[in-house]
Amino acid sequence: MSRAAAPTGAKTRLMSEMKALRKEKWINFEDDDLDSILKWRFALMVINPDSPFNSGYFKAEMTFTDEYPYQPPKFRFLVPITHPNIYPDGQLCISILHKPGEDIMSGEEASERWSPLQGAESVLRSVLLLLDDPEINSPANVDAGVMYRDRRSEYLEKAHETVARSKKDVPAGFEMPTSFEAAPPPKQEEDADFWAGSSDEEFDFGGSDTGDEDEMDFEDEDGEGEGEGSDEDEEDN
């Protein structure tokens, strides 16, 4: 289905969601000329120093139906990743991608599964969280689940190998982010010439001199009082 032929509701929402995601540092849409707005191809970047997959650049795709957002999208990695919740074909075992409603068989509550209130960003953030913190109680890759539980050092080594391979997919000239935080603005140095050329007169902010005037008036009144007292003494004499 071409972008022009995509149903208006799904098309409008997906274009809005993609526009917002393009501003994020942890996702990179390499191809701006998509064949269909219903199929996204991009790379997810792990920016978490505590993650076994930190600094990884993982190509992936997400496909949507014309029933979006009432039905969930599909997600899969395009590179092999050894992880308890990732199938060999790159698809994920994750609740948010399951159809809306409660599932008695799996024990998943409706709040854990897809709903129209969710969106593409919700899915992608859930995927990144799953990479960092696997769910091994119901693994899609049993061997990876056992490795994570019993042979953690081996699992970490596999993850580091995966990250090293993924970096070969980084486009030429693309700068991998290392932090979600923006760099602080450069500190402005004080202008020594400004302070050196200052004088006390320059810092006279026009304060009132009424205090000096009051002091002078007070002296005059005292002076007059002393004079009058002297005259009275002379008359008495």
Side-chain angles (χ1 to χ4, degrees):
M1 181 180 291
S2 66
R3 177 183 293 196
T8 304
K11 173 186 176 181
T12 301
R13 173 157 171 168
L14 287 170
M15 291 183 69
S16 175
E17 290 190 33
M18 179 182 284
K19 181 179 179 180
L21 281 167
R22 287 182 182 276
K23 300 176 182 179
E24 298 290 342
K25 301 175 72 173
W26 45 268
I27 184 171
N28 181 38
F29 290 90
E30 297 180 7
D31 187 3
D32 291 332
D33 186 20
L34 298 175
D35 293 331
S36 171
I37 191 64
L38 297 179
K39 185 174 183 178
W40 297 2
R41 289 208 170 188
F42 50 86
L44 287 180
M45 287 162 280
V46 180
I47 311 173
N48 178 6
D50 297 325
S51 172
F53 297 96
N54 184 44
S55 75
Y57 184 93
F58 303 121
K59 288 193 170 186
E61 71 176 15
M62 192 152 50
T63 55
F64 307 83
T65 70
D66 55 9
E67 297 180 76
Y68 182 82
Y70 301 102
Q71 294 298 324
K74 292 183 178 180
F75 176 98
R76 75 183 184 98
F77 283 108
L78 301 179
V79 293
I81 300 178
T82 302
H83 186 281
N85 306 114
I86 301 178
Y87 291 101
D89 64 354
Q91 296 193 57
L92 273 69
C93 179
I94 186 172
S95 298
I96 196 174
L97 293 176
H98 296 165
K99 292 182 178 181
E102 187 173 338
D103 186 352
I104 299 177
M105 297 297 294
S106 67
E108 291 178 343
E109 298 181 1
S111 60
E112 300 176 285
R113 296 162 68 91
W114 177 261
S115 81
L117 298 177
Q118 307 281 9
E121 182 174 348
S122 301
V123 172
L124 298 177
R125 288 187 179 275
S126 295
V127 170
L128 289 173
L129 288 173
L130 192 66
L131 283 175
D132 298 347
D133 187 16
E135 172 55 61
I136 62 175
N137 291 329
S138 55
N141 185 330
V142 176
D143 292 338
V146 173
M147 187 189 306
Y148 179 85
R149 184 190 64 195
D150 300 335
R151 307 189 305 277
R152 187 67 61 87
S153 60
E154 183 179 346
Y155 176 83
L156 295 176
E157 184 179 351
K158 287 278 188 182
H160 296 160
E161 291 174 357
T162 301
V163 169
R165 288 196 306 269
S166 75
K167 291 184 177 181
K168 298 178 181 179
D169 293 327
V170 178
F174 179 79
E175 185 175 350
M176 284 282 293
T178 57
S179 171
F180 287 121
E181 299 179 359
K187 183 178 180 181
Q188 295 184 352
E189 297 182 359
E190 295 182 352
D191 189 349
D193 293 337
F194 172 81
W195 296 107
S198 301
S199 65
D200 292 340
E201 294 180 358
E202 292 178 3
F203 290 99
D204 184 356
F205 295 105
S208 174
D209 293 332
T210 54
D212 296 338
E213 294 176 357
D214 292 343
E215 184 177 349
M216 293 176 63
D217 292 341
F218 180 76
E219 291 177 353
D220 291 342
E221 291 176 357
D222 290 347
E224 292 177 358
E226 291 176 356
E228 291 174 356
S230 301
D231 293 340
E232 291 177 355
D233 292 342
E234 291 178 356
E235 291 178 359
D236 292 340
N237 292 332

